[in-house]
């Protein structure tokens, strides 16, 4: 019975996923965004929960994050084909998380170069097997090692890519959301694609370094941008004001955890006590907040 | 396929895997762990001598706090001699084998472990008179983007070998005193995708810790890759007078993530801490 249902599920998934182009919107000339809703990745949404998109040059396209499933990668490729007909020359992965990289395989035969932070290949190697092993159970995805495609072109500090009459500047950030965060700046429209360095509505998720993230935010808020695109939530023209809720949340975690550490409180006590006042401000608070406190505590206890 | 059927079947496919693992099974324990570690032993699950605290959901699979508490005090006549801990469904279930002594005061131990998937976690205690008892807790693994590896490997590498003792400032001569031992070490699992092994090849983890107070043993631990990066333990000892707490530990590298036949010993470390009222 179980096998029968599983087979049925696979067949159904395919017909439910009959390839439609991914809905994308131009938020600025030549900058296309698929804006996701705030959801916990699960077997129903297959982890298709992140903002992804592409930038169009005269010669070719740069994809920014390939999507949360192989199918979403294909749908993105189809959207690009329908809208521009131009070839994809770069597939940029802003960091290692599944919702940003599982569509990579869709662009394998296009001749595109894969681009990422110089620590992305290591992160993919360290996490890849675990991610693949759990993809079915968590996301109803059947993944193999060939779906995890590491970047052939890595960014150590910064790098400019030319898409033909259009330059995009890639910046490799210090450890923040993860230890392999890359942002993309489009000079032509003054648009900064921050991906998961920036969360709106969706609670920020710490999987790198709380202190490092706050340091990066200090640098980022010194400048004005016409558009800033988060990895989760709506793009904004109100920068740096739109960053403040995230900054306040991260600062609150840091200060409350430091106080508890001084009082000799344990990790378990910190997880129970810290940051509860922020709950009304964020989607998916219950899913990620305790993880954030856990990571932040394990980092800050080594401070002095 | 009629459209109305889709939601029903979708629901079925969603519910199925959840139903299968709603409760932890004892398969790995019965078939592998028990025969490997406790051949021929009778292990009681009624009225065990220890309790186990674990979060219902592993919020961060890389750092899952666990705590074992003893229900009896450590006396020279009767004490808990050893506690073993396992995560049944981890690729290498063994967390550690911990040895306690009368001068440990209490055979309590809090630690942080990696949990790969939905699993029973268990602790088995052996008393000095050879009785075994066991407790277990089912832990739901977290989904999402996390993985049971450290978040910031380079930061962990930078401070590798740094050690801290933190001690309650409630020193009373002759009474159990809680202490925390923190070791900065990435505790590499050595698990990674084969075609990318040019990055992190071998495991490299703390394999043994020995804590003494005034040269008398308080806690010995044989541990492995299930221990989180930056190994962290809370336990007790009885200061009978002011003196020195010491921790000696070592790490090692193994060729296989889950086998321990081919390993190379690594470094030895020592840390001392003066304890006074």
């Amino acid at each position: 019975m179980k096998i029968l249902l599983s087979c049925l599920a696979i067949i159904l998934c395919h017909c439910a996923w009959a390839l439609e182009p991914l809905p994308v919107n131009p938020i600025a000339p030549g900058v296309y965004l698929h804006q996701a809703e705030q959801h916990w990745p699960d077997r129903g949404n297959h982890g298709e929960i992140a903002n992804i998109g592409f930038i169009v040059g005269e010669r070719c396209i740069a994809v920014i994050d390939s999507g949360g499933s192989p199918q979403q990668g294909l749908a993105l490729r189809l959207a690009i084909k329908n809208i521009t007909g131009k070839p994809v020359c770069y597939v940029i992965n802003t960091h290692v998380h599944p919702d940003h990289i599982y569509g990579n395989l869709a662009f394998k035969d296009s001749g595109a170069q894969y681009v990422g932070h110089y620590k992305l290949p290591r992160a993919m190697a360290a996490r890849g097997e675990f991610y693949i092993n759990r993809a079915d159970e968590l996301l109803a995805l059947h993944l193999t090692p060939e779906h995890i495609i590491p970047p052939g072109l890595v960014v150590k500090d910064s790098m400019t890519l030319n898409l033909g009459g259009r330059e995009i500047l890639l910046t490799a950030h210090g450890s923040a959301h993860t230890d392999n965060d890359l942002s993309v700046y489009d000079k032509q429209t003054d648009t900064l694609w921050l991906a998961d360095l920036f969360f709106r509505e969706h609670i920020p998720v710490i999987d790198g370094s709380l202190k490092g993230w706050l340091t990066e935010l200090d640098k980022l808020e010194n400048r004005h941008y016409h558009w800033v695109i988060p990895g989760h939530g709506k793009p904004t023209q109100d920068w740096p004001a739109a960053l403040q809720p995230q900054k306040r949340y991260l600062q609150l975690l840091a200060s409350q955890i430091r106080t508890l550490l001084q009082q000799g409180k344990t990790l378990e006590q910190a997880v129970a006590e810290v940051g509860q006042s922020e709950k009304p401000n964020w989607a998916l608070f219950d899913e990620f907040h305790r993880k954030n406190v856990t990571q932040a505590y394990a980092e800050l206890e080594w401070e002095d | 396929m009629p459209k109305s059927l889709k939601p029903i079947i979708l629901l079925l496919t969603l519910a199925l895997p959840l139903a299968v693992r709603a409760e932890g099974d004892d398969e790995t324990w019965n078939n592998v762990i028990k025969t490997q570690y406790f051949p021929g032993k009778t292990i009681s699950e009624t009225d065990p001598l220890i309790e186990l605290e674990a979060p219902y959901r592993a919020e961060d699979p890389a750092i899952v706090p666990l705590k074992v508490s003893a229900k009896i005090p450590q006396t020279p006549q009767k004490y808990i001699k050893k506690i073993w801990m396992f995560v049944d469904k981890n690729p290498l279930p063994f967390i550690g084998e911990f040895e306690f002594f009368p001068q440990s005061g209490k055979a309590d131990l809090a630690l942080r472990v990696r949990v790969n998937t939905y699993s029973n976690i268990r602790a088995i205690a052996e008393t000095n008179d050879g009785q075994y008892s066991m407790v277990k807790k089912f832990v739901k693994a977290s989904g999402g983007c996390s993985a049971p590896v450290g978040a910031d490997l380079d930061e962990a590498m930078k401070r590798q070998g740094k050690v801290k003792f933190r001690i309650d400032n409630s020193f009373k001569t002759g009474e159990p005193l809680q202490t925390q031992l923190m070791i900065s070490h990435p505790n590499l699992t050595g698990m990674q995708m084969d075609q990318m092994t040019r990055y992190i090849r071998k495991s490299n983890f703390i394999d043994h810790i020995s804590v003494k107070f005034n040269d008398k043993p308080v806690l010995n631990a044989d541990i492995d890759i299930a221990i989180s990066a930056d190994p962290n333990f809370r336990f007790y000892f009885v200061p009978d007078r002011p003196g020195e707490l010491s921790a000696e530990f070592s790490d090692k590298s193994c060729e296989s993530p889950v086998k321990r036949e081919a390993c190379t010993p690594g470094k030895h470390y020592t840390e001392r801490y003066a304890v006074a009222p």
Side-chain angles (χ1 to χ4, degrees), chain B residues 36-50:
Chain B
Q36 187 179 341
Y37 290 87
F38 308 97
K41 304 291 185 206
T42 305
I43 300 176
S44 163
E45 286 189 67
T46 50
D47 201 15
L49 291 174
I50 50 175

Side-chain angles (χ1 to χ4, degrees), chain A residues 2 5-6 8-9 12 15-16 40-41 43-44 97-99 118-119 121-122 124-132 134 137-138 144-146 148-150 175 177-179 205 207-209 260-262 264-268 271 286-288 290-291 294-295 297-299 301-304, chain B residues 1 5-6 9-10 12-14 16-17 20-21 57 59-67 110-112 115-118 141-154 159 162-164 166 178 180 182-185 191-200 230-232 234:
Chain A
K2 188 187 167 187
L5 272 176
S6 303
L8 205 52
L12 263 175
C15 60
W40 174 253
R43 293 173 61 90
H97 285 156
D99 48 335
Y118 76 104
K119 291 184 185 176
R122 183 180 70 185
M124 283 179 165
R127 292 166 177 241
E129 191 172 337
F130 174 76
Y131 280 167
I132 289 167
R134 298 200 68 207
E137 172 194 340
L138 298 174
T144 62
E146 66 170 356
I148 311 286
I149 302 176
S175 190
H177 168 62
T178 65
D179 74 353
V205 178
D207 200 18
S209 161
L260 292 189
L261 279 165
Q262 278 166 6
K265 298 268 182 83
T266 63
L267 169 64
E268 296 90 316
V271 168
D286 289 338
E287 284 78 2
F288 288 107
R290 283 173 299 226
K291 168 193 158 50
T294 303
Q295 286 246 330
Y297 183 101
E299 177 187 353
E301 69 187 335
W302 286 98
E303 268 187 322
D304 52 276
Chain B
M1 170 69 62
L5 257 183
K6 272 191 197 170
I9 304 223
L10 186 67
L12 277 173
T13 55
L14 285 175
L16 203 67
V20 168
R21 68 176 94 80
R57 199 180 79 163
E59 306 291 348
D60 183 337
I63 307 174
V64 180
L66 302 180
K67 189 179 167 194
L111 70 171
R112 303 171 189 172
V115 177
N116 276 50
T117 187
Y118 292 74
S142 165
C145 53
S146 303
V149 292
D152 193 340
L153 182 60
D154 294 310
R159 52 165 196 253
K162 191 175 169 186
V163 187
K164 278 194 201 182
R166 301 171 93 195
Q178 184 171 254
Q180 185 176 19
M182 302 164 58
I183 300 171
S184 193
H185 193 290
M191 303 220 180
Q192 68 278 303
M193 297 172 67
D194 284 336
Q195 73 267 43
M196 299 178 191
T197 45
R198 65 188 188 273
Y199 294 99
I200 314 164
D230 297 333
N232 194 309
R234 295 198 308 271

